[in-house]
Amino acid sequence: MSNSYPQNALVVVADGHKAKLFRNHCSDGGLDLRKMEDWEPEDLDSDGPAGNRPKESSQQDTNEAIFAKQIAVRLNRMAHKNTFDSLVLVADPQTLGQMRPSLNKKTLSLLVKDFAKTLTNSSIDDIQRAIG
């Protein structure tokens, strides 16, 4: 059985370095993703990751964890402003795991699907195929 997606769902495709935001324009449960914007890490030196980092973490690992938290915080703000009413997250397993603890109850209540896949460098067609 294929997946069903709400019309106008916010689809976030992320990894530790960038996030791409799309809207689903399909009205019959399918996927017709349209690009909205890209997010990149902001001001990593003055922010910190969610939770504690192991001592052996590299600076890159820490920066990726900070960015995962930044994505979650931005999604929480968007959910609070009712910018979306359904959310699909697609991220590499590490980023997805680091985002989850920072998502608030409202954002989590809007999450309809998530995928532990690395697709940030994929085309829209490839993303639709991978999660469709």
Side-chain angles (χ1 to χ4, degrees):
M1 185 181 132
S2 68
N3 290 311
S4 179
Y5 292 89
Q7 184 174 13
N8 213 31
L10 178 66
V11 179
V12 179
V13 179
D15 63 20
H17 306 282
K18 63 184 166 188
K20 296 178 176 185
L21 279 68
F22 303 90
R23 283 281 184 188
N24 184 29
H25 287 261
C26 193
S27 60
D28 65 2
L31 282 171
D32 178 16
L33 298 181
R34 309 272 172 87
K35 181 90 171 271
M36 288 176 48
E37 62 182 307
D38 290 331
W39 290 350
E40 293 186 357
E42 297 175 353
D43 205 11
L44 294 173
D45 294 333
S46 66
D47 202 350
N52 293 325
R53 301 289 302 148
K55 286 183 177 66
E56 65 276 6
S57 293
S58 70
Q59 187 61 48
Q60 180 176 340
D61 289 342
T62 299
N63 287 348
E64 290 175 4
I66 293 169
F67 183 51
K69 182 185 83 172
Q70 289 177 349
I71 294 168
V73 167
R74 288 176 81 171
L75 290 173
N76 291 339
R77 267 193 235 124
M78 290 173 73
H80 180 72
K81 293 177 183 173
N82 298 313
T83 308
F84 58 88
D85 46 16
S86 53
L87 174 65
V88 177
L89 290 177
V90 183
D92 64 275
Q94 184 170 339
T95 300
L96 192 59
Q98 291 167 333
M99 287 170 56
R100 271 184 202 280
S102 296
L103 294 172
N104 65 25
K105 284 183 182 177
K106 174 156 186 165
T107 307
L108 287 170
S109 74
L110 300 174
L111 182 64
V112 293
K113 295 182 190 307
D114 62 11
F115 298 90
K117 296 179 182 231
T118 305
L119 297 173
T120 48
N121 292 323
S122 300
S123 69
I124 290 177
D125 288 343
D126 287 345
I127 293 168
Q128 291 178 161
R129 264 193 300 280
I131 68 173

